[in-house]
Amino acid sequence: LKLTIVSARGLRDADWLPGHGGADPYCVCEVAAFSLGKNAWVDKKGSAKIKTKTINNDPNPVWNHNAEVPGFRKGDALVFKVYDADWTSSSLLGELRIDSTQFYTQGFDGELPLANCPKGTIAYLKLNIQPAQAHQPAQPTTTTQETPATSGG
């Protein structure tokens, strides 16, 4: 699965000191799997996390972060969390879970609203997701033999 975390917009500044610029956002993506026993989505243990760079003082960061998503299988979901990086910890600015039915066969290229944003904030995450192409056998090539022209006469 190929993923580009393109950008976000409308993020709230979670810095608590006034005059210290805007949000310093970064995004983390993880694979989640559906657990039938608990009837809930759970993080896949041992799955790799994909993390963008931090963009300083920007409520509308553009990351254009390209990655392969290891450990993803049909039926899994992708969980994105956008944080504001601070000196001591990071604050959640919003999150998004996208089920594989929304992108697995046809891909996805667009913007989706983030959930669990700070009060009064409406923010979005822009993504491009391309499913891995299944290995396709090479198409047999047909060759035509030219027959030499015969001269009449």
Side-chain angles (χ1 to χ4, degrees):
L1 190 70
K2 294 181 180 182
L3 165 69
T4 301
I5 302 172
V6 179
S7 60
R9 69 177 173 93
L11 300 176
R12 182 179 157 264
D13 177 10
D15 291 338
W16 58 274
L17 289 175
H20 282 282
D24 303 319
Y26 66 92
C27 183
V28 175
C29 173
E30 295 179 88
V31 177
F34 190 72
S35 170
L36 293 175
K38 296 180 182 176
N39 198 26
W41 288 93
V42 294
D43 290 342
K44 284 180 93 170
K45 300 298 181 203
S47 68
K49 292 183 182 181
I50 296 166
K51 182 178 178 243
T52 68
K53 63 184 176 187
T54 299
I55 306 287
N56 293 321
N57 300 319
D58 194 344
N60 303 302
V62 176
W63 294 291
N64 284 320
H65 184 89
N66 296 305
E68 294 275 337
V69 183
F72 180 85
R73 291 188 295 175
K74 183 177 181 181
D76 289 344
L78 295 177
V79 177
F80 298 87
K81 294 183 181 181
V82 179
Y83 294 96
D84 180 20
D86 288 320
W87 290 99
T88 57
S89 65
S90 294
S91 304
L92 182 68
L93 295 176
E95 62 187 324
L96 163 69
R97 188 187 82 222
I98 181 169
D99 184 74
S100 66
T101 58
Q102 293 178 268
F103 63 82
Y104 190 73
T105 56
Q106 73 283 2
F108 177 83
D109 187 16
E111 191 175 69
L112 294 168
L114 291 170
N116 300 321
C117 296
K119 187 176 180 180
T121 304
I122 300 173
Y124 299 88
L125 187 63
K126 186 172 184 180
L127 304 168
N128 180 286
I129 305 170
Q130 297 301 318
Q133 299 298 317
H135 176 68
Q136 305 246 343
Q139 295 294 324
T141 55
T142 56
T143 57
T144 56
Q145 286 186 317
E146 292 186 26
T147 54
T150 56
S151 57

